[in-house]
Amino acid sequence: MSLSTHNVPKLKDPSLLKEAAFINGQFITSPSFTTFTVTDPATNTPIATIPDLTAAETRTAITAAHTALQTFRHTLPRERARLLRAWYDQIIANADDLATLITLENGKPTADARGEVAYAASFLEWFSEEAPRLYGDTIPSSVRGNRVVTIRQPVGVCALITPWNFPAAMITRKIGPAIAAGCTVVAKAPAETPLTSLALAELAVRAGMPKGVVNIVTASANTAAVGEELCVNPVVKKLSFTGSTPVGKLLMKQCAGTLKKLSFELGGNAPFIVFDDANVDAAVAGAIGCKFRSSGQTCVCANRIYVQDAIHDEFVAKLVEKVRAFKVGSGFDGENTHGPLIHDRAVGKAREHVDDAVEKGAEAVVGGGVSQLGPNFFEPTVLKGLTGDMRIASEETFGPVAGVFRFKTEKEVVELANDTEVGLAGYFFSSDIGRIWRVAEALEVGMVGVNTGIISDTAAPFGGIKESGFGREGSKYGIDEYTVIKSITFGGV
Ligand code: NAD
């Protein structure tokens, strides 16, 4: 294994690479700004220098969004639909360059990056279709002579904070419904992967986005100050955050003073259950997609794999065979199925979880350590013999480590699956229709995959329960997060 094939393609349109923040329709750079460096996770080499904005510049962005809102909230839904559709078209037309930027700053293989671009664009397409369907109700009043109707209005200026694991899709999943509802936004780009957000902003300009409607603030060392400004500024009426549960809790506290409307997509610890009546090959394929997509750096990825006694050994053997066939290396080499993790801290966490499990009696059947490719690469790993006292049982690994637990009964495994503070996604494989209903209803999560390891779908509501947060993204529900219901009562009828 070597990184000799790490050949970064040139962008077809180099003007998509922006080393700036985007405020009030302008890409801004200034010698007076402090800056931070974005690095290529495959090689740790610098790729861009980006302004590390402060609370003061964040206020400027919020003011721009507030000014733009005064006009934008009155645009016709059909106009907003056309705008989103034009932005979608721009993304599709520039998909190759966007995929290159994603691989460059996130590390995922280009094929996965292309898949992400299509997924990201699909949210703009979907919400372009939802914008004209913001219906209200007519409600029979309980007061004689009155009539009641409801209308749905934009909530106002929205603050959006997203993580690095899906640099394009996390942001369009929030901006799409916000724009469809008639809101304006200030999005904080992830420090590790701001280039994709900024390229999307350039494509928004080309699509005709009015100035101030979309603003992108960038920060690294100043992240907490920028985040606090977004939370405490009374002009901002809504915060939508995707990231870790501890940061979500902090932001919720900071928003309390202005009682903002909130939605939180936070961490997961997904159970993946294989019953002995399942199709084992399908379950293995599901586990591969679910656990190892983006090298395990997805919030919905399987973190605890529970396999019933009778098929345990067959499942592990087939899983190991597939994992051994992975090719790890540069995301720009089309042969490779898996790239680097985002940084050495992510590698450190994967290593700690594996070491902890092995010390307590688990066996690493394949992988188990840092790869020779470099400090940000971790070997795809399958552990067997996991028990409830190991860290993987209760903590999200966020890396390419599949930990397999053995179980005996349905009752036992449902209890184990639910024995966690978080509840984002859960998966199981079974061919028993009664069990399928029972277990789907019993799992304490916001999303269940039955006989599939992939549940991300623009049409399906995405979100969690418990400490995985609240609110739903995508689907017909996603736009609700960006609207408020106003009831209007007509008297004297
Ligand atoms: P993180 O919470 O550290 O960071 C997420 C975002 O918040 C980044 O943009 C970061 O810059 C920003 N941030 C960090 N501290 C902040 C602060 N004090 N104020 C304002 N912003 C702040 O999470 P991460 O480690 O980068 O991402 C991985 C986590 O995100 C995992 O826990 C994963 O499960 C979760 N995640 C959840 C979903 C979902 O939809 N539920 C999707 C992807 C990732």
Side-chain angles (χ1 to χ4, degrees), residues 345-369:
R345 296 190 303 289
V347 169
K349 190 166 187 201
R351 201 191 54 224
E352 282 174 24
H353 278 198
V354 170
D355 290 351
D356 168 76
V358 170
E359 267 167 34
K360 292 173 181 161
E363 180 191 342
V365 192
V366 56

Side-chain angles (χ1 to χ4, degrees), residues 330-350:
S330 163
F332 289 116
D333 181 342
E335 297 262 289
N336 290 332
T337 54
H338 295 78
L341 304 194
I342 191 71
H343 41 47
D344 57 358
R345 296 190 303 289
V347 169
K349 190 166 187 201

Side-chain angles (χ1 to χ4, degrees), residues 393-413:
S394 54
E395 284 177 43
E396 193 182 21
T397 305
F398 232 61
V401 180
V404 183
F405 300 71
R406 197 187 265 273
F407 75 93
K408 288 192 168 56
T409 67
E410 179 184 312
K411 181 170 180 300
E412 171 201 4
V413 80

Side-chain angles (χ1 to χ4, degrees), residues 162 164-165 173 188 241-244 265-267 299 396 462:
T162 53
W164 45 265
N165 59 346
R173 199 162 74 177
K188 193 200 78 64
F241 171 71
T242 297
S244 62
E265 306 279 347
L266 307 176
C299 53
E396 193 182 21
F462 191 102

